Amino acid sequence: MDGKTKRIAAIVAAYNEAGNIHRVLESLTRYPGFDQVIVVDDGSDDGTSAVATTYPIRLIRHAENQGKGRAMATGAAATDADILFFCDADMYGIDAPMLEGILAAVREGKSEMVIAMRNWRMYYVGSIVSVIPMLGGQRALTRGLWEKVPSIYKERFMIEIALNFYARYWGNGFLYRVCPDLRQVPKERKFGLWRGFARRMIMFGEVFLAQARLQLLNVPQTMKAGRVALRNIVAAAAGAVIGSVIIFASYAGPVSFVREVFAKELAEDPDAPLVQFLLYLGSNVGVDLIALFGVMLVALNLFVVLINLKDLRLLAYRPAKVVRVG
């Protein structure tokens, strides 16, 4: 089956997104490359389904909220498409050239997965906690990669980190594409500062626990895994250094520090969620708590070093030879 004949389905998992979902559906339903667009209403009580059904989509409803991972799994099970494009319901700024750029490498067999990143420089912050890299709800992937991920990881926010892990360790890796016009409604705006902050912390916690479990239980015994472990250790060491910088910045002036470091991102997108989150912390959290945050980052990255040390021995791994006898 060549790239032109592969079927592609767009899947939008939505929970209480009545005020936002129209923008993403406007873009997805206009793009001619999708064979179908599926919306999974994950137990919303705000009219999300009513808005979704004004567009030419297939709607599936969960009676109760089950979390992002299960909603994505429901959408994937409802189609036999060869390529799955997952998209968050609170995104905007999506257009046909952007979608084509994300889908092309997967459709042509150049990669198993492509992740759309809002701004790559912002994701340098991923090295602060190296177990939370490359999180992005907008991604195109093969059905084969989706099926490699065990169902235990298709829960809530674990799914994205699990897709990254299985693409890296059990597949051919993944690509990312920077999409500067891509925008997302921050959690703090949708739910209020404290509820949004709490939801973000829950998400980070779930991602961290999933990554720890994956690293401890699901790393294959291959030389490739040893090379990935080495890269993880280097990234974690850099993250520990950045944690130390945060400790210093907490006493030097956290708000001015964030504004200086992310000046370009703020100029391009004043509502950039990660930057606004950091500014919120700098403005509303005491210096001692920010310093404690830096200490926690150092500790978390040291933990990453420890769980990856066991896999360094795989750098010497040599697969057994298959020899014909008789």
Side-chain angles (χ1 to χ4, degrees), residues 98-116:
M98 182 187 298
L99 291 170
E100 187 61 28
I102 298 167
L103 291 163
V106 180
R107 188 175 58 232
E108 295 165 10
K110 296 178 181 178
S111 178
E112 286 186 289
M113 181 168 68
V114 177
I115 305 174

Side-chain angles (χ1 to χ4, degrees), residues 25-33:
L25 293 183
E26 188 76 26
S27 300
L28 298 184
T29 55
R30 286 185 176 183
Y31 178 64

Side-chain angles (χ1 to χ4, degrees), residues 59-245:
L59 176 68
I60 303 173
R61 296 193 65 180
H62 286 169
E64 298 179 352
N65 180 252
Q66 299 181 32
K68 183 176 183 178
R70 288 193 181 183
M72 291 168 63
T74 294
T79 177
D80 60 357
D82 309 287
I83 296 173
L84 307 174
F85 175 74
F86 293 104
C87 187
D88 289 341
D90 57 357
M91 303 303 299
Y92 58 101
I94 301 171
D95 57 23
M98 182 187 298
L99 291 170
E100 187 61 28
I102 298 167
L103 291 163
V106 180
R107 188 175 58 232
E108 295 165 10
K110 296 178 181 178
S111 178
E112 286 186 289
M113 181 168 68
V114 177
I115 305 174
M117 312 300 289
R118 295 181 57 252
N119 188 311
W120 169 241
R121 285 190 71 239
M122 286 179 59
Y123 286 86
Y124 287 152
V125 177
S127 61
I128 293 176
V129 185
S130 56
V131 294
I132 307 180
M134 287 288 188
L135 295 181
Q138 291 56 245
R139 56 181 69 205
L141 55 132
T142 64
R143 177 169 291 278
L145 175 59
W146 174 261
E147 292 177 349
K148 286 178 184 176
V149 178
S151 58
I152 190 173
Y153 295 113
K154 293 174 181 176
E155 298 279 348
R156 298 186 62 80
F157 295 109
M158 293 191 291
I159 180 58
E160 291 173 8
I161 202 71
L163 285 169
N164 293 2
F165 178 91
Y166 275 87
R168 173 177 288 178
Y169 283 94
W170 296 89
N172 297 319
F174 59 88
L175 304 175
Y176 70 89
R177 183 179 178 86
V178 175
C179 304
D181 295 329
L182 194 62
R183 297 287 185 269
Q184 185 173 27
V185 181
K187 295 182 188 300
E188 288 77 10
R189 179 180 297 175
K190 287 194 295 184
F191 304 108
L193 283 177
W194 287 110
R195 285 185 63 201
F197 174 76
R199 285 173 177 263
R200 195 177 295 279
M201 289 300 96
I202 290 171
M203 179 185 73
F204 285 160
E206 290 179 358
V207 168
F208 172 76
L209 291 175
Q211 182 72 321
R213 180 188 176 101
L214 286 161
Q215 291 288 340
L216 290 170
L217 302 179
N218 298 93
V219 173
Q221 300 297 297
T222 63
M223 186 185 298
K224 177 181 178 181
R227 292 195 295 268
V228 174
L230 180 60
R231 290 198 296 271
N232 289 343
I233 289 171
V234 172
V241 171
I242 294 174
S244 301
V245 171

Side-chain angles (χ1 to χ4, degrees), residues 190-299:
K190 287 194 295 184
F191 304 108
L193 283 177
W194 287 110
R195 285 185 63 201
F197 174 76
R199 285 173 177 263
R200 195 177 295 279
M201 289 300 96
I202 290 171
M203 179 185 73
F204 285 160
E206 290 179 358
V207 168
F208 172 76
L209 291 175
Q211 182 72 321
R213 180 188 176 101
L214 286 161
Q215 291 288 340
L216 290 170
L217 302 179
N218 298 93
V219 173
Q221 300 297 297
T222 63
M223 186 185 298
K224 177 181 178 181
R227 292 195 295 268
V228 174
L230 180 60
R231 290 198 296 271
N232 289 343
I233 289 171
V234 172
V241 171
I242 294 174
S244 301
V245 171
I246 290 176
I247 297 172
F248 168 79
S250 66
Y251 295 103
V255 173
S256 58
F257 180 82
V258 171
R259 289 191 180 279
E260 183 174 348
V261 171
F262 294 101
K264 183 177 179 181
E265 283 70 24
L266 285 169
E268 294 175 353
D269 179 13
D271 292 327
L274 179 58
V275 181
Q276 289 300 325
F277 169 64
L278 293 175
L279 287 173
Y280 171 75
L281 285 180
S283 301
N284 295 276
V285 178
V287 169
D288 290 339
L289 284 179
I290 295 176
L292 177 61
F293 181 60
V295 171
M296 291 175 61
L297 292 179
V298 173

